[in-house]
Amino acid sequence: MSRLDLSPLYTLRTADVYQALETSPQGLAGGDPETRLSLYGPNVLTPAPHDPWWRNLLVHTTHLMALLLWGAGLLALLTGEPAIGVIIWGVVLVNAGFSFWQEYRAEQAMEALSRMLPAYARVVRQGEERLIEAPQVVPGDVLVLAEGDNIPADARVVEEYGLRTNNTTLTGEALPARKSAEPSLRPGLTELERPNLVFAGTSVVSGTARAVVYATGMLTQFGRIARLTQAVREPPSSLQLELRRITRIVSILALLLGITVFLVGTLELGLARLHAFLLAIGIVVATVPEGLTPLVTLTLAIAVQRLGQRDVLVKKLATMETLGTVSVVCTDKSGTLTQNQMTIRAVWVAGERLRVSGVGYEPAGGFDPPPEGRPFAPDLELLLSAGSLCNNSRLNPPSVEHPMWTCLGDQTEAALRVLARKGGLDEGRLAGALPRIHELPFDARRKRMTTIHSVGREEIAFVKGAPREVLQLCSHYMRGGEARPLEPEVAASILRANDEYARGALRVLALAQRQLPARSGAYTIETIEADLTFLGLVAMMDPPRAEVAGAIERCRQGGIRMVMITGDYGLTAESVARRIGMLSTDQPRILTGAELDHLTDVQLRELVRAQEIVFARMAPEHKLRLVAAFQELGEVVAVIGDGVNDAPALRKADIGIAMGKIGTDVAKEAADLVLTNDDFSAIATALEEGRAVYDNLRKFMTYIFASNVPEIVPFVLTAQFGFPLALTVAQILAIDLGTDLLPALALGAERPEPDVMMRPPRRRNAPLLDRPLMLRAFLWLGLIEAALCAGAFVTVYVAFGYGDVLGLPPWPWLEAVNPLWLPAGEVHLLAVSVYFAGVVMAQVGNAFACRSERERGRRLGWLSNRLLLAGVAAEILIALALIYLPGLDSIFGLVPIPAPLWIGLASFALGVYALDRIRKSVVWRLKLLGSKEGGKRL
């Protein structure tokens, strides 16, 4: 990284700038780039130092849940139960380590995904324009800048046409800054205020330019403030706030239950304080879901990685939670819904309509009818010349790396170059005969672009843009090689041709020219773009992407409204929208930007609420206003775009989605998601994954909370009725962070359910922990598990003749079945072991029941979640190890269980699953009956 001495740089003339930076207009030559790269280093920002690993680990040991467990462990030590205290502390440390590791893996996954989308820069080297990765830019490189580009390094402007840059990241100034190639001699200006300098981290709002790099990496203006920028912490997402709320509620509930058990046990039941205190600690440990936080992080990370495999780059984990709530998708047309591979199919010139053959950017094909010897031949040559000269693109012939013709620059302009070559135009000779001297860049508001060329001592302007916008500036049209007055009848025929092309889903451009009078001042839009001579129309096909129609159908089935917002002509937009299935009405309204300007915010909200509309001829501020209107109606809005004119709306949207290949740097920077392969169908997949994330969070929360009930019940029974304790604190922790953990992880990785895109989007503020979830977890699945386990515990006592310990009468028939006899102490350990194994086996059935709140396991596919099968197998193996392995059994207070009892315990899994399956069927039938009754009433 380096910064050449620039103290006089902004005061120098262009020729002296090249000399000072030891380069030339042809750029660096030979091995200069490699030499300078090794000398100055790559053009990257040094990342801010991360917090040390131990500090991040410490964060996971000091949140509310952890502090509660720290306190419980300390009290256990102080009351003479060191084993329990050490186990509780060990759980805190293990849970913190797991959370830290999952967070680290999520960060690594996000960094890996971000490397899928490298930044590029266009430079001149050895006289040729090249596209290189931005880190390869070195001082002395000549940058080629165009609208929508991110500027990769600090540079001195040496040539520009209407260049304006967005310096908000450096100065905070919202208005674009006008840039110039002239020396800046005014004293007292800072470097950021110099009009001939551009800076890394800023972007090109409009215009084109060339600039010579003088600073890269950390020595740029952006690099100076990079550390401050990197140090800013993002505010917590809504999911993080929700998790904090759940943690706070559960922790307070656990503490209150523990205090209640302690007070009731000591004051009403006369339990010893130590005994009551240990019961209270058990209640706290049983209630706190120790594995909740890392499971949430892992669920989000798995979804992000799955989308990464589908070429969707998600910049932040928190984005996944918002995806599931999207209710409106606003999309651009050109390059987003269409392939942005322009091929000109037709030309209107001098009243004649010509068909054009050929495919792609290969300049093979011709005109029908052929122009040779026809009266319109000179008019066509003028049209082709205008399209070639009013152009900043470049065609690249086939090469070893690219076996087909490709283009560098705007695809529409590349199509005009292809058309010129099909007409036999010698572009090199033409550019030499009419050198460009100025440019009025394309602007999304005026929808046209103008270049000015010298012809001897005279000057001529060529204009291209939207047909209506160009035609209204014309006073003449070209016919037979001469300019004739533009009569209303001719103008009407031009507009008819434009509309017919547009109805055929063709994108239409108009071209015009003007012989300029002697110049007396600066080139301005008002003085140049007036009194034009109309040359003709070119109509190009930009076919819809093959995958678009299917993706739109999936989104609409999911209750998501699809809206087209384009800067293109209304009839073209409507034709494309109908072709891809975006419209359901025969006569949709086409609302233009000019009409939008006359609507109040209230009128606009009512309009978008009630009608199916195609928004055409929209400027960036119109798109921004439409997104705001949908949001004010309570909609969660996703915006899809690829151009610089989409960037404001991408930032305003709840979810911004940019195209990765054809998207501008500004659009990709503004977006939350980037489709790295420009596959529109991945949008439906992303929305599907967003919904699945919410479902999966609820699945494993239900699974975790359900096991809390059979863990809490033994302590309540002991405190209230004096029953022998059926489950110890150590065993609870073995369940929560041992046997339950892997199945919970597997539920977090569950694939989207078959009907996930057949449901309406969930509300933005819908809580994760709501009443249906709590009722199902605590009062249904949890009570089933508790009843089964308590029944097994009682059965063991009664079978061995100790029913009186529980206050139960003897059951002779059960005692007769059991030929064994054990002392009371061993019977208690066996009953505890059976209760522990019963919780584990019931959780096996619970895991399969929690795969869906509504679907049957058969429809989901019994083997579709192999991670769950592995998790359940691991769950059973861990339980067997704790029960049968010498050493572990004594640590956790367990004894071997006779084989016949495992038959009954295995039925717990089937019983939990079967009962929840019956509940799902009843609920489904009730809903079906309700929908039929509603239909009859209608």
Side-chain angles (χ1 to χ4, degrees), residues 435-453:
R436 183 185 298 188
I437 57 177
H438 196 71
E439 176 184 330
L440 299 175
F442 176 83
D443 183 89
R445 293 164 184 80
R446 75 182 209 281
K447 302 187 186 303
R448 54 187 179 271
M449 166 188 173
T450 298
T451 56
I452 301 165
H453 305 258

Side-chain angles (χ1 to χ4, degrees), residues 784-785 788-789 837-847 905 908-909 912:
I784 292 173
E785 291 189 23
L788 290 171
C789 295
V839 175
V840 173
M841 297 309 298
Q843 281 290 87
V844 170
N846 185 26
L905 292 173
F908 286 12
V912 172

Side-chain angles (χ1 to χ4, degrees), residues 361 363 381 383-397 405 412-436 453:
Y361 297 121
E381 185 176 357
L383 178 87
L384 300 180
S385 299
S388 175
L389 292 170
C390 188
N391 202 309
N392 290 320
S393 69
R394 193 186 81 192
L395 292 177
N396 297 320
W405 282 81
T412 301
E413 294 187 340
L416 290 172
R417 287 205 182 279
V418 174
L419 183 70
R421 297 192 184 189
K422 288 178 180 178
L425 200 67
D426 187 341
E427 290 191 287
R429 184 186 62 80
L430 181 67
L434 285 81
R436 183 185 298 188
H453 305 258

